Amino acid sequence: MAEHRDWESLEQRLSAGALVTDPDLLMSYRQDWSFDPLAGTPRAVVRAQSTGDVQEVLRFAAEHGIVVIPRGAGTSVVGGSTALDGAITLSLEKMTAIHVDPTTRTATVEPGALTVEVKTAAAAAGLFYPPDPSSFEICSIGGNAATNAGGPCCIKYGVTADYILGMTVVLADGSVVELGSDRTKDTVGLALAKLFVGSEGTLGVITELTLRLIPAPPPPHTLAAYFPQMAQATDAAAAISAAMRPSELEIMDNAAIGVAEEFLHMDLDVTAGALLIARSDAGAAAAAEMELIGRLCQQHGATEVFVTEDAEEGEMFIRPRYAVYEALEAKGVIIGDDVAVPLARLAELTEGMARIAQRSGVTVVSYTHAADELTHPVLGFPFGDDAAAGAAFAARDAIHQLVTELGGTVTTEYGVGRHKTAQLAGALPAALIELNRKIKNSLDPRNILNPGVLIP
Ligand SMILES: Cc1cc2nc3c(=O)[nH]c(=O)nc-3n(C[C@H](O)[C@H](O)[C@H](O)COP(=O)(O)OP(=O)(O)OC[C@H]3O[C@@H](n4cnc5c(N)ncnc54)[C@H](O)[C@@H]3O)c2cc1C
């Protein structure tokens, strides 16, 4: 139990202003984007300014048995950075330095830098940092590493893990380790940096990352195709994935097209069963790739196919896919989810979700990263309506049940957090869960780092 004087002594060891105990400010760190009604209130927030600050916090926490919740930008939708009563929320938001080295094509970044800032800094040097979670403008690069974030372009370019060469991590006892390096071929010993990727703040706190950058690709060509039935779109997507690797391959269901049209007034075909949007950034080969994608869409029953090589028009083609979240957000509260079923069963999933929506009166739409077989059901309900909220969460549970029946999984790219540990327990063999626990126990024997998150 830490006394008042212990907290005073911690404050003196930290950078000026890093320790926050003002009750009003503490309130703003209770929630992440899962908006958990059971979120606690932290005993203190530390806005670390250096690896040294993080070490001080973890030494203090270890000494006094206080739980620490690492926090980037708080966009977790699974409660990964939700506060717990009496715990320290350790925010990395002030550690935002970015250094790009064009010679080695690497970026050394502090964890609090936003993903969009890393992408922008890479682009300023003529380079590209590919991972593109839809939240890239509001989430941190440290949070991306801690959740192994992915997005639409991962079909071609891979996920966050594929760009991490090295990292600095503070362990639960306050010691610091440097893992990996700035070389791509640093293959000696266990790949320990990978162990911390996706560890959701349960094994250590990432205070620096070395990222691999690649040459910037040419602007993409974009194709949009309507299909009467979802099954035709998934067949087309399967044929496209077998023939090439487009830089994006997305499918919106009928409900998502309707929500986007109501918001954008773009004259979308709201009678279509699915809208497939594909992109190619293959430069000189892009036109041929688009031509082949268009042909495969037509062979599988597309009613209309539009193609553009103009970057601005391409943004218009892909806009409906991104507008879905905005449209529902403008109306109320959103539950964003991430599930996966085999592509061949996506039509059964979207039909089932339509039935769940009709039965429950909840708005349910979905879009799918088709080549990764990763579907985002998005549910919406009005602000302040408890009955509607209850119906929406029940509808989400019904979708999870359906996904399981279709041979799929209900934890994919958003992480496991605090809210999906039961689902992970159901999805992993007992021996693997035990291995996870052994690793956690050996690195954090007192269970100080983000207890209750990730590991069932
Ligand atoms: C609108 C919206 C769209 C989204 N779209 C996507 C998407 O397309 N793809 C996707 O993968 N995710 C998506 N997400 C989820 C979320 O944005 C990602 O999980 C993101 O990587 C979290 O980053 P963050 O900085 O907000 O982390 P936080 O929410 O602050 O933390 C997330 C987890 O990482 C841990 N953590 C954070 N920083 C560190 C650190 N430095 N060291 C150790 N642990 C740390 C936390 O303890 C927590 O467990 C979306 C979320 C929203 C709200």
Side-chain angles (χ1 to χ4, degrees):
M1 181 71 171
E3 308 285 342
H4 184 67
R5 65 171 182 277
D6 297 321
W7 288 99
E8 276 184 350
S9 138
L10 173 66
E11 185 167 26
Q12 282 158 15
R13 295 199 301 277
L14 294 172
S15 300
L19 183 72
V20 176
T21 52
D22 174 338
D24 287 341
L25 274 177
L26 294 184
M27 294 302 280
S28 58
Y29 288 88
R30 293 183 65 232
Q31 297 284 358
D32 56 23
W33 276 61
S34 66
F35 303 108
D36 185 345
L38 302 176
T41 305
R43 167 68 181 80
V45 171
V46 174
R47 296 194 282 216
Q49 293 171 32
S50 65
T51 298
D53 281 349
V54 174
Q55 285 186 275
E56 289 296 351
V57 170
L58 289 177
R59 282 188 199 125
F60 179 82
E63 187 183 339
H64 297 285
I66 297 174
V67 161
V68 174
I69 314 290
R71 182 181 174 104
T75 66
S76 171
V77 291
V78 287
S81 44
T82 302
L84 291 183
D85 282 332
I88 298 174
T89 288
L90 176 53
S91 169
L92 285 312
E93 72 197 291
K94 299 282 184 200
M95 295 178 65
T96 56
I98 301 175
H99 172 72
V100 173
D101 182 346
T103 321
T104 55
R105 292 183 310 285
T106 58
T108 309
V109 301
E110 287 187 328
L114 297 182
T115 312
V116 64
E117 293 167 344
V118 176
K119 282 176 163 291
T120 306
L127 293 166
F128 184 38
Y129 175 70
D132 59 346
S134 303
S135 50
F136 75 99
E137 288 171 315
I138 52 172
C139 63
S140 76
I141 195 77
N144 288 178
T147 57
N148 196 10
C153 86
C154 295
I155 169 188
K156 180 165 181 178
Y157 291 104
V159 292
T160 303
D162 298 308
Y163 294 86
I164 295 180
L165 296 173
M167 61 170 75
T168 304
V169 180
V170 181
L171 300 176
D173 61 2
S175 57
V176 179
V177 285
E178 308 276 344
L179 304 171
S181 73
D182 58 1
R183 292 185 303 278
T184 306
K185 283 193 179 157
D186 187 351
T187 52
V188 177
L190 297 178
L192 286 177
K194 299 279 186 217
L195 181 64
F196 289 85
V197 179
S199 65
E200 299 189 32
T202 62
L203 301 183
V205 180
I206 300 162
T207 59
E208 191 173 275
L209 288 157
T210 305
L211 303 171
R212 182 169 72 88
L213 305 176
I214 61 173
H221 294 203
T222 309
L223 172 148
Y226 287 110
F227 293 84
Q229 307 292 336
M230 174 60 78
Q232 296 165 308
T234 57
D235 286 349
I240 294 164
S241 302
M244 73 188 69
R245 269 210 284 180
S247 53
E248 287 184 44
L249 184 58
E250 303 283 299
I251 300 180
M252 295 169 65
D253 71 5
N254 168 267
I257 299 168
V259 163
E261 173 59 19
E262 201 187 315
F263 186 66
L264 295 172
H265 306 292
M266 282 178 74
D267 217 8
L268 302 174
D269 179 359
V270 293
T271 66
L275 172 60
L276 178 149
I277 305 166
R279 291 187 129 172
S280 166
D281 60 7
E289 286 199 354
M290 286 284 110
E291 212 271 316
L292 178 55
I293 293 174
R295 210 164 351 112
L296 290 171
C297 286
Q298 268 155 349
Q299 278 169 14
H300 287 90
T303 46
E304 283 182 294
V305 177
F306 305 93
V307 182
T308 181
E309 56 187 62
D310 181 78
E312 217 168 289
E313 199 178 16
E315 289 307 310
M316 294 292 287
F317 280 24
I318 200 114
R319 178 83 179 98
R321 145 76 175 82
Y322 289 96
V324 168
Y325 229 90
E326 287 169 57
L328 291 180
E329 214 170 33
K331 284 184 163 182
V333 184
I334 293 181
I335 306 173
D337 205 353
D338 57 331
V339 303
V341 297
L343 195 56
R345 307 206 71 176
L346 181 62
E348 288 170 81
L349 176 63
T350 53
E351 282 158 18
M353 287 195 293
R355 280 195 302 274
I356 291 168
Q358 201 170 27
R359 209 167 54 220
S360 62
V362 174
T363 305
V364 183
V365 310
S366 80
Y367 51 87
T368 296
H369 309 313
D372 311 335
E373 300 184 327
L374 197 164
T375 297
H376 290 295
V378 188
L379 297 83
F381 59 90
F383 290 112
D385 185 337
D386 289 346
F393 281 103
R396 202 256 316 256
D397 291 346
I399 293 170
H400 285 180
Q401 175 67 30
L402 175 62
V403 168
T404 309
E405 285 163 16
L406 294 172
T409 169
V410 301
T411 54
T412 58
E413 70 182 6
Y414 287 172
V416 176
R418 207 169 286 291
H419 298 162
K420 284 192 171 177
T421 48
Q423 285 90 334
L424 186 73
L428 286 186
L432 268 191
I433 292 175
E434 196 42 41
L435 184 57
N436 272 274
R437 287 194 186 127
K438 275 188 191 158
I439 292 169
K440 166 76 173 166
N441 288 341
S442 68
L443 285 171
D444 180 17
R446 298 189 67 188
N447 203 16
I448 277 169
L449 280 167
N450 230 355
V453 162
L454 177 62
I455 297 164

